[in-house]
Amino acid sequence: MTSENASPGTPPAHPLHAESERHASWLELFFDLIAVAGVAQLAHLLHGTPGAADLGLYCLLYLAFWTAWMCFTTYGNVAADKVHTRAVLIGMFGLAVMAAAVPGVRTEHARAFALAYVLVRVLASRVWQSRGEVVADWPLAQLSVGVVPWIVSLWAEAPARYWLWAAGLAVDLGFTFALSRTRVLARAQEEWRKHAAAGRGRAHPRPAAARFDARHLDERLGLFTLIVIGESVALTVEASSEADWTSRLGSLAVGSFVLLLALWALAVRRTCGVPLLGFGVLAPRFALPLHCLTTGALGALAASLGGAVEHVGGHLPVGMRWLMCGSVAVFLAVGVVAGVASGRGRRWALGAGAPMVVAPVLLGAFAGRGAPAALVWALVVVARWPWVYDRLASRRDGRSVAPE
């Protein structure tokens, strides 16, 4: 991740990461739109008054979508203009099938979802075989062992199938974080030597570490976050268009838009799609999970904002209130972690970070009697607190701050 726009003291990008002026291609943008269409479908799983089971299923399916998307995003980032367009298009179709299966994923479409996911992951793994590269910074892009529980789930019923899906994702993530970059590359080279000694490895080059285009990866992550925010606006607009236009609805609609703008300012402006994360601060294996949490929280927030329109004249159900406040709390908690990693000190963590995580939790616990619009505007204040804190700190220390 590039350090071109990083503040003083920000560590440089990973030394093995290539950097260029390349931007996201039309094919990559198309792929992102298909993936976000799945996120929009997932938001409907949280419609009404979501319970713990609904939230758990949303998190599970979102992680599957994001993982499949990231596998091809990693491939496109490294392969650049040598990417196999046909493979990307097939992967795109697989994501479209997964998105179409979401409404019926609890019943007859669960097997279609699982099968599409397996095919996408296997295809994403195979595209690396001819390149002779190892994605040591994000091994999940090449792993396929995690699809075994998904294959078994084709013959399982709920809820066993969901536990198998979770186990498959846990295996992939476990390998990704348990194996260091050096160990991943060493294991791939050792396997190549064994195949070569047996006469089976001559057709493939000696494995080398894949070189990320850091600037391009930053752009892809930011674009994905931006599109998810756009989908959140679209879901709120859709819900508002079917409701009676009253002053309460107007206040809720404006507050929802301002809240999404505040989150956009934290996650996209001068960042790589993760709130308050500076460029070049974290290696991909740490930055990418933060991006998954960020965009997953935004998808859940979109569902709660759309649902709030249905209760604009009364009070939000407990589950919906916690969904709204919890998703904002998760988003801002990621911002606290990213801000600290980007060099913000302990004073900032206590003065800015702690309030913007604790406040949404308190609102979720004690704002049950308030109107939905009032809750949304309270969350706007919380989301803008880091900006207010920086302004107050700059005046106290006599520093200048870049204009918003």
Side-chain angles (χ1 to χ4, degrees):
M1 295 184 175
T2 179
S3 58
E4 177 184 359
N5 298 321
S7 58
T10 298
H14 197 288
L16 294 182
H17 291 175
E19 294 187 5
S20 70
E21 297 295 335
R22 182 166 65 97
H23 296 286
S25 66
W26 293 113
L27 179 63
E28 290 173 320
L29 290 174
F30 192 14
F31 195 96
D32 292 349
L33 289 173
I34 297 297
V36 175
V39 177
Q41 288 281 61
L42 289 175
H44 293 291
L45 294 177
L46 301 175
H47 185 73
T49 306
D54 300 314
L55 183 59
L57 183 60
Y58 168 82
C59 293
L60 176 62
L61 299 188
Y62 182 83
L63 182 56
F65 264 102
W66 185 89
T67 298
W69 171 77
M70 182 49 64
C71 286
F72 276 94
T73 296
T74 302
Y75 169 61
N77 178 270
V78 174
D81 57 348
K82 296 182 180 179
V83 69
H84 293 287
T85 303
R86 181 181 301 176
V88 176
L89 291 175
I90 296 174
M92 187 186 305
F93 178 77
L95 277 178
V97 173
M98 291 171 64
V102 167
V105 76
R106 292 186 176 95
T107 54
E108 72 275 10
H109 293 162
R111 288 181 175 83
F113 184 93
L115 183 59
Y117 176 80
V118 169
L119 294 177
V120 169
R121 289 296 309 279
V122 170
L123 177 62
S125 177
R126 289 180 61 85
V127 295
W128 293 97
Q129 292 183 358
S130 61
R131 293 191 58 83
E133 293 174 309
V134 179
V135 193
D137 284 315
W138 189 245
L140 194 154
Q142 288 175 297
L143 292 174
S144 57
V145 62
V147 305
V148 174
W150 286 77
I151 295 174
V152 175
S153 75
L154 296 175
W155 292 273
E157 300 293 336
R161 70 162 66 102
Y162 305 136
W163 289 108
L164 287 168
W165 294 356
L169 292 168
V171 167
D172 285 335
L173 292 173
F175 275 109
T176 296
F177 292 108
L179 300 179
S180 67
R181 186 179 192 279
T182 303
R183 287 184 62 190
V184 171
L185 183 59
R187 289 182 60 170
Q189 292 178 344
E190 178 63 25
E191 184 177 350
W192 179 84
R193 282 192 292 268
K194 291 180 179 179
H195 282 257
R200 302 193 303 271
R202 298 175 182 175
H204 300 289
R206 181 185 180 90
R211 295 171 61 87
F212 280 110
D213 186 326
R215 186 175 301 174
H216 176 262
L217 183 59
D218 282 340
E219 184 180 77
R220 290 296 301 279
L221 296 180
L223 285 172
F224 189 88
T225 302
L226 182 63
I227 298 172
V228 173
I229 293 175
E231 284 291 337
S232 302
V233 175
L235 289 175
T236 305
V237 169
E238 180 183 359
S240 301
S241 66
E242 299 175 355
D244 294 331
W245 285 22
T246 62
S247 58
R248 290 186 177 184
L249 177 63
S251 177
L252 175 62
V254 174
S256 299
F257 185 70
V258 175
L259 175 59
L260 292 173
L261 284 180
L263 301 184
W264 164 81
L266 291 174
V268 178
R269 299 194 68 191
R270 296 186 289 274
T271 67
C272 58
V274 177
L276 300 175
L277 181 63
F279 296 104
V281 172
L282 295 176
R285 69 170 58 209
F286 301 112
L288 296 184
L290 294 181
H291 182 264
C292 180
L293 286 172
T294 296
T295 50
L298 286 172
L301 177 62
S304 66
L305 291 176
V309 174
E310 300 178 3
H311 302 275
V312 67
H315 307 300
L316 287 180
V318 176
M320 187 176 297
R321 185 177 75 247
W322 273 111
L323 179 65
M324 182 183 296
C325 296
S327 58
V328 173
V330 170
F331 181 95
L332 296 178
V334 171
V336 174
V337 173
V340 171
S342 299
R344 298 173 183 262
R346 181 182 301 178
R347 177 183 293 182
W348 178 89
L350 295 175
M356 66 184 188
V357 175
V358 173
V361 177
L362 294 177
L363 288 171
F366 301 108
R369 295 182 177 275
L375 177 59
V376 170
W377 280 107
L379 291 173
V380 169
V381 174
V382 175
R384 292 300 288 168
W385 173 242
W387 177 83
V388 174
Y389 180 88
D390 287 343
R391 292 304 185 272
L392 295 176
S394 66
R395 291 179 181 178
R396 181 190 63 226
D397 301 335
R399 295 181 287 104
S400 60
V401 180
E404 183 72 7

